[in-house]
Amino acid sequence: MTANKAVSLPSYFGYLRVSTDSQDVESQKLGLLEYANRHGFAPMSLTAETVSRAADWKGRELGALLDRAGRGDVICTPEFTRLAATPGQVFTFLEAAASKGVVLHITKTGTVMDGSMQSQLLAAAFSMASMIELSFIRERTREGLRRAKSEGKRLGRPPGASGRLKLDEHEDEIKGYLAIGLPKRKMAKALGVAYNTLARFIERKGLVSSKKA
């Protein structure tokens, strides 16, 4: 007789996030564990962190958790908003999880992102929302540029500037982003460049944002 191959059992992960120390992670934890028990997700490794949802998920504990997870593993979290602040950021997480074959459970709604047609449609909705969000950002930028020009602010390169930079052709657009206080990570996404590339350009040009990135 041929020996049976060992079956690799999935690992189960729970992710909890609060924005401030004053928020109660225990209520999230209780609901998540109840869901896990109903579905037989045991043992479960829990990850909890206190961090703004606006922070890039790749640099948070969530990113490290996804790195550990493998094909067939399950990540449970109470809501999509625990993952990220915007539809675009949520979509990038869904894409990354799907590419690894990781299944995501949203415990409050019972939504399962497992590659099924329903989950693909939901991911497409996040993608569409991301494009709409980017369209709004660009429109606000154009409005910011028009307002800055009407107020007589200089939008071109400063006198005496020399040397070409990768983002030189987008300098007016970047100034518009800064004028409306758009975070640098969103600027970088809109421009299709790395965050560090944008940050170096802004520093070298001496551009100032009206808000912190």
Side-chain angles (χ1 to χ4, degrees):
M1 294 179 63
T2 303
N4 292 330
K5 292 184 178 179
V7 177
S8 178
L9 297 177
S11 295
Y12 302 107
F13 302 93
Y15 176 74
L16 307 168
R17 182 196 58 77
V18 292
S19 297
T20 66
D21 290 329
S22 62
Q23 291 180 318
D24 183 16
V25 74
E26 289 302 316
S27 59
Q28 290 185 36
K29 181 178 178 180
L30 179 61
L32 189 148
L33 290 178
E34 287 178 347
Y35 181 94
N37 288 335
R38 287 199 307 272
H39 290 78
F41 294 164
M44 173 169 280
S45 173
L46 284 177
T47 297
E49 62 179 335
T50 301
V51 63
S52 168
R53 64 177 181 153
D56 188 348
W57 65 264
K58 295 177 184 176
R60 290 159 33 197
E61 290 294 331
L62 179 59
L65 188 158
L66 185 57
D67 286 341
R68 295 199 305 273
R71 182 166 297 278
D73 289 346
V74 174
I75 295 177
C76 295
T77 195
E79 303 164 297
F80 283 112
T81 54
R82 298 299 111 191
L83 302 174
T86 68
Q89 292 172 3
V90 172
F91 179 67
T92 62
F93 179 84
L94 296 180
E95 273 195 319
S99 70
K100 296 191 66 175
V102 174
V103 179
L104 177 69
H105 284 248
I106 305 300
T107 60
K108 284 191 176 182
T109 59
T111 304
V112 181
M113 305 298 291
D114 58 357
S116 65
M117 180 62 70
Q118 180 181 358
S119 65
Q120 289 178 36
L121 289 173
L122 185 54
F126 275 108
S127 178
M128 179 63 71
S130 175
M131 288 187 286
I132 293 172
E133 176 191 26
L134 186 56
S135 175
F136 285 155
I137 289 173
R138 287 172 174 164
E139 179 57 31
R140 289 199 302 269
T141 299
R142 286 192 288 267
E143 290 176 357
L145 286 170
R146 287 193 293 267
R147 184 168 60 252
K149 287 179 179 178
S150 69
E151 293 172 355
K153 294 181 180 178
R154 180 181 176 85
L155 297 178
R157 298 180 67 192
S162 61
R164 294 289 297 171
L165 297 176
K166 180 178 180 179
L167 289 172
D168 275 346
E169 63 188 66
H170 298 288
E171 184 169 346
D172 284 354
E173 187 176 356
I174 291 169
K175 286 183 177 181
Y177 286 146
L178 292 171
I180 62 173
L182 188 71
K184 290 177 186 174
R185 293 194 184 279
K186 288 190 176 182
M187 289 187 219
K189 179 180 177 181
L191 294 165
V193 299
Y195 173 85
N196 289 339
T197 299
L198 174 66
R200 285 195 298 269
F201 178 83
I202 290 174
E203 181 180 3
R204 179 168 174 177
K205 292 290 185 176
L207 306 180
V208 179
S209 173
S210 62
K211 295 181 181 179
K212 291 184 178 179

